[in-house]
Amino acid sequence: MTDGHKRHLMATLLAIEEASRQIEQVAREGRSPSGNHRLTPLDPASWAVFADALQHMYADLQACIKQLLPQELAEQEHREGLSVTLYWLSVLLLHLDEEIVEDLDPKKTIPKFGPLEPAEREALEAVVARLHEAVERMRRQIERLRHPSEQE
């Protein structure tokens, strides 16, 4: 099997995993892939048909790869250490704080969208402050996980 075939098989397994996650969000959780609106989730029995089929698809391809590419599958299933998880959490929190929460601040929204009533501005400023604090709590938890010996 060529390297191209190997990479394609492994990428397909990951793509099925990601598509399954998105299908579950739509069908079971009622979350639009675009994130712009809520959907009506399927009833549990209907979702079970999807869940079963998706699990079988993944397991079938995984079994094929295990037969054809056992080394590559073992390498893919290897988990990185906690430090890599904490790195990605830090990156995502930075994005959440600076690109999403900060963009809700009236100092940024008023120039874009126009004036707010004083009560609206106060409510938005208060929620932005609470959201920043929630991000900060998560950052502190990351630091505790990075340096557990300093917590004693």
Side-chain angles (χ1 to χ4, degrees):
M1 184 174 292
T2 67
D3 284 344
H5 282 290
K6 291 177 184 179
R7 285 192 303 274
H8 185 68
L9 267 173
M10 297 307 296
T12 301
L13 186 65
L14 295 174
I16 288 175
E17 188 174 40
E18 179 61 20
S20 296
R21 187 185 63 76
Q22 290 175 335
I23 290 168
E24 181 174 8
Q25 285 179 336
V26 169
R28 185 170 172 233
E29 300 170 17
R31 292 179 52 207
S32 167
S34 68
N36 291 336
H37 52 277
R38 297 289 181 190
L39 307 171
T40 301
L42 299 178
D43 61 88
S46 296
W47 162 244
V49 173
F50 283 83
D52 184 60
L54 292 168
Q55 289 170 347
H56 279 89
M57 287 176 67
Y58 185 84
D60 193 22
L61 183 57
Q62 188 178 40
C64 178
I65 293 172
K66 189 174 186 174
Q67 177 188 352
L68 298 174
L69 306 170
Q71 178 69 25
E72 286 82 350
L73 187 61
E75 289 171 7
Q76 184 224 356
E77 291 177 350
H78 169 76
R79 291 179 187 232
E80 296 290 337
L82 181 61
S83 63
V84 177
T85 301
L86 298 176
Y87 166 80
W88 281 109
L89 286 171
S90 294
V91 168
L92 293 169
L93 285 176
L94 183 66
H95 172 73
L96 175 64
D97 198 35
E98 293 183 359
E99 300 296 326
I100 298 172
V101 174
E102 193 61 35
D103 197 47
L104 188 60
D105 191 311
K107 291 181 212 105
K108 294 193 176 195
T109 61
I110 290 172
K112 291 180 190 176
F113 307 116
L116 291 167
E117 295 294 322
E120 295 168 332
R121 183 182 181 124
E122 288 175 20
L124 286 173
E125 288 172 342
V127 76
V128 166
R130 290 192 305 271
L131 295 174
H132 281 306
E133 177 52 37
V135 170
E136 187 55 37
R137 281 194 309 273
M138 290 184 277
R139 285 184 173 140
R140 287 192 302 267
Q141 180 61 19
I142 288 171
E143 287 308 309
R144 283 191 287 275
L145 292 168
R146 279 188 176 138
H147 309 289
S149 62
E150 295 176 10
Q151 305 305 315
E152 297 171 0

